[in-house]
Amino acid sequence: VFGSLAALASACQAAIVVGGSLLVDLDATAWSGSGPMANSGTLGGSFAPDGNPTKVEAAGVTGTWLDGADAFVGPASNGSIDGTSDRTVEVWAYQGAVNGEETLVAWGKRGGGEGTNNSVNWGSNPTFGAFGGWGAGPDQGFGAGQPTTGTWHHIVFTSDATNKSVYVDGVLASQEPNNAPALNTHAGINILLGAQSAAGAAPGTVAIDGGNKLQGVLGKVRVHDAALSGTDILNNYNEEKAQFQNVPQAVTPLSAAPTHRWSFN
């Protein structure tokens, strides 16, 4: 029986399509609530809390809550996702309300030149709400595919030599040519969850920007060093969507009438 269950678990895991090497593979739903979050991806290392992230339940799903001041600091990016390299970032996330730019996963850094940042966002700004590359050309919004609040979403960003593409729940939301200018991400800067690196960040140092932080819940995060196809992204969404179904919260009636009641106005 044990062998059958192990084989089934392995088969389910293999159903997730990986592009190139899976550098970052985080399950924030399984985080203990304190200490680092282990990275099962090939980049290794872990993501250490900065501030006070906590475990919460959002729409019936346990995840990691970042309150707009917190972040996680991971290992530095490597050459396979720096510069002009192809890449895919997948995130399961939940938000109750959305500001113009809220960071899900980022590396590179703010401050320029154009195209040198790599910030995958869930924000409402039509220019940089979905991706911040630094500069109006590299930045990108969700277009008509803006995710709704109050529900879990699978948000994916891909970049290759031709296009930068954003998907929401397996559907292409927006796409732009990768030539205005093309992404050319700063190398060797720490990968962050929920925040971006400030202009002063450099290899071997951590400098978190004070703005554009996430106030929401993270479920899973994956970073691949190749661009997944639309078919691959839809597959991964379908494989995991049952884990992030929005579960109505049970309403339990009182077993007896209250002894006292105070009304405040």
Side-chain angles (χ1 to χ4, degrees):
V1 174
F2 177 78
S4 298
L5 291 175
L8 178 60
S10 176
C12 290
Q13 181 65 29
I16 293 296
V17 177
V18 171
S21 180
L22 184 59
L23 301 182
V24 175
D25 186 9
L26 301 173
D27 186 354
T29 68
W31 179 57
S32 66
S34 64
M37 189 182 302
N39 176 26
S40 299
T42 60
L43 194 58
S46 61
F47 284 71
D50 182 90
N52 188 36
T54 56
K55 290 189 72 170
V56 298
E57 187 174 283
V61 179
T62 301
T64 299
W65 162 251
L66 302 176
D67 69 357
D70 306 323
F72 280 87
V73 179
S77 62
N78 68 14
S80 67
I81 53 171
D82 290 333
T84 60
S85 300
D86 293 358
R87 65 204 68 173
T88 298
V89 179
E90 296 183 84
V91 185
W92 280 96
Y94 175 99
Q95 287 202 76
V98 178
N99 296 317
E101 181 180 8
E102 296 197 45
T103 308
L104 300 173
V105 182
W107 62 93
K109 61 179 179 178
R110 298 173 63 82
E114 286 199 23
T116 56
N117 195 22
N118 189 101
S119 179
V120 178
N121 305 324
W122 177 359
S124 59
N125 187 282
T127 301
F128 46 75
F131 181 76
W134 196 264
D139 289 346
Q140 191 165 342
F142 283 103
Q146 178 72 36
T148 55
T149 57
T151 189
W152 284 91
H153 289 291
H154 182 240
I155 296 174
V156 180
F157 172 80
T158 72
S159 176
D160 59 25
T162 305
N163 293 311
K164 299 184 290 92
S165 306
V166 176
Y167 294 79
V168 177
D169 298 340
V171 177
L172 181 65
S174 68
Q175 189 172 73
E176 296 182 356
N178 190 12
N179 60 6
L183 294 186
N184 189 13
T185 310
H186 284 294
I189 308 296
N190 291 78
I191 301 172
L192 305 180
L193 306 183
Q196 300 176 37
S197 288
T205 68
V206 176
I208 298 177
D209 188 77
N212 311 309
K213 290 186 173 181
L214 175 67
Q215 188 170 12
V217 188
L218 294 176
K220 292 188 177 183
V221 177
R222 290 190 290 268
V223 178
H224 315 245
D225 64 4
L228 292 178
S229 70
T231 300
D232 295 336
I233 291 165
L234 179 60
N235 172 84
N236 289 359
Y237 166 70
N238 285 329
E239 284 296 321
E240 294 183 314
K241 65 182 181 182
Q243 302 174 41
F244 295 94
Q245 294 294 329
N246 295 281
V247 180
Q249 300 304 297
V251 177
T252 305
L254 293 173
S255 59
T259 304
H260 300 287
R261 175 175 175 173
W262 291 265
S263 296
F264 300 90
N265 57 31

